[in-house]
């Protein structure tokens, strides 16, 4: 190294030692009294193994949504006068579940569905059918399966799905 460069380097080192390298540190102006933790990098998780052994199956399929048709005198009056079917349904089922189940099991679109929970804790659904579909025909389909296969209502709807 040349003597000129060596002396300039020595001068710079002397100046840094006397004055300090970080002589002026700018202070950040705080505008709020609360300290907010800065946002840092968040990586997506890469698990080494699955946390669940098998995926859960849907508990509310069309067979478990519609429990059984109601065939009281009032229900029959609703079928004849208002083109409405009356079913006892699962308490966890909502109107969309009921509409889909009726569509899948009986190939009928529901115009409107009203639900209520009875004092004994069972949910009842009034399924209003459109004017072009006779509720009596659909009820006859359901009741003929009831007469042919007098069994548990959950299994009955499964049988209905295979027949119709």
């Amino acid at each position: 190294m040349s003597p000129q460069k060596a002396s300039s380097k020595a001068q710079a080192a002397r100046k840094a030692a006397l004055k300090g390298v970080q002589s002026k540190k700018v202070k950040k102006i705080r505008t709020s009294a609360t300290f907010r933790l800065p946002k840092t990098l968040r990586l997506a998780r890469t698990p080494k193994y699955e946390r669940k052994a098998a995926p859960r199956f849907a508990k509310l399929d069309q067979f478990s949504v519609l429990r059984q048709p109601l065939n009281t005198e009032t229900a029959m009056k609703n079928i004849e006068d208002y083109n409405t079917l009356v079913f006892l349904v699962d308490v966890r089922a909502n109107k969309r579940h009921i509409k889909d189940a009726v569509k899948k099991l009986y190939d009928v679109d529901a115009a409107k569905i009203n639900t209520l929970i009875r004092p004994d804790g069972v949910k009842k659904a009034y399924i209003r059918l459109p004017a072009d579909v006779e509720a009596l025909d659909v009820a006859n389909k359901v009741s003929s399966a009831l007469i042919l296969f007098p069994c548990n209502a959950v299994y009955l709807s499964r049988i209905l799905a295979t027949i119709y």
Side-chain angles (χ1 to χ4, degrees):
M1 208 179 326
S2 71
Q4 181 82 15
K5 275 190 178 178
S7 66
S8 67
K9 227 177 181 186
Q11 289 292 333
R14 181 174 173 242
K15 185 179 173 186
L18 287 173
K19 198 174 176 186
V21 210
Q22 295 176 336
S23 57
K24 286 266 188 178
K25 188 173 183 181
V26 179
K27 280 200 154 197
K28 184 178 177 184
I29 299 170
R30 300 276 176 193
T31 57
S32 171
T34 56
F35 175 74
R36 300 281 185 184
L37 198 68
K39 299 278 190 282
T40 57
L41 179 67
R42 290 186 182 175
L43 295 173
R45 290 184 174 189
T46 53
K48 301 286 184 269
Y49 63 93
E50 290 291 326
R51 294 299 190 261
K52 291 182 181 176
R56 294 179 66 156
F57 63 93
K59 288 183 180 178
L60 285 176
D61 58 344
Q62 68 264 24
F63 304 113
S64 61
V65 167
L66 296 178
R67 295 276 181 193
Q68 68 188 54
L70 209 61
N71 55 356
T72 58
E73 285 182 26
T74 337
M76 292 303 153
K77 186 170 171 47
N78 277 332
I79 289 172
E80 293 163 5
D81 295 347
Y82 303 114
N83 205 29
T84 302
L85 296 172
V86 184
F87 276 91
L88 296 181
V89 296
D90 194 296
V91 179
R92 297 167 296 170
N94 59 28
K95 292 182 182 182
R96 287 186 200 90
H97 289 147
I98 297 167
K99 193 171 192 173
D100 291 341
V102 169
K103 175 72 175 162
K104 286 178 185 172
L105 289 176
Y106 306 117
D107 297 322
V108 176
D109 284 323
K112 185 177 183 181
I113 295 175
N114 291 336
T115 58
L116 62 92
I117 297 179
R118 303 190 316 187
D120 61 352
V122 179
K123 187 180 267 192
K124 190 183 347 181
Y126 293 93
I127 302 163
R128 180 90 182 257
L129 300 178
D132 60 331
V133 179
E134 283 292 323
L136 202 55
D137 296 338
V138 180
N140 284 335
K141 256 192 212 180
V142 176
S143 65
S144 65
L146 276 171
I147 293 166
L148 289 174
F149 307 102
C151 58
N152 192 348
V154 174
Y155 299 113
L156 172 69
S157 50
R158 291 191 175 138
I159 293 167
L160 277 176
T162 58
I163 293 173
Y164 298 108

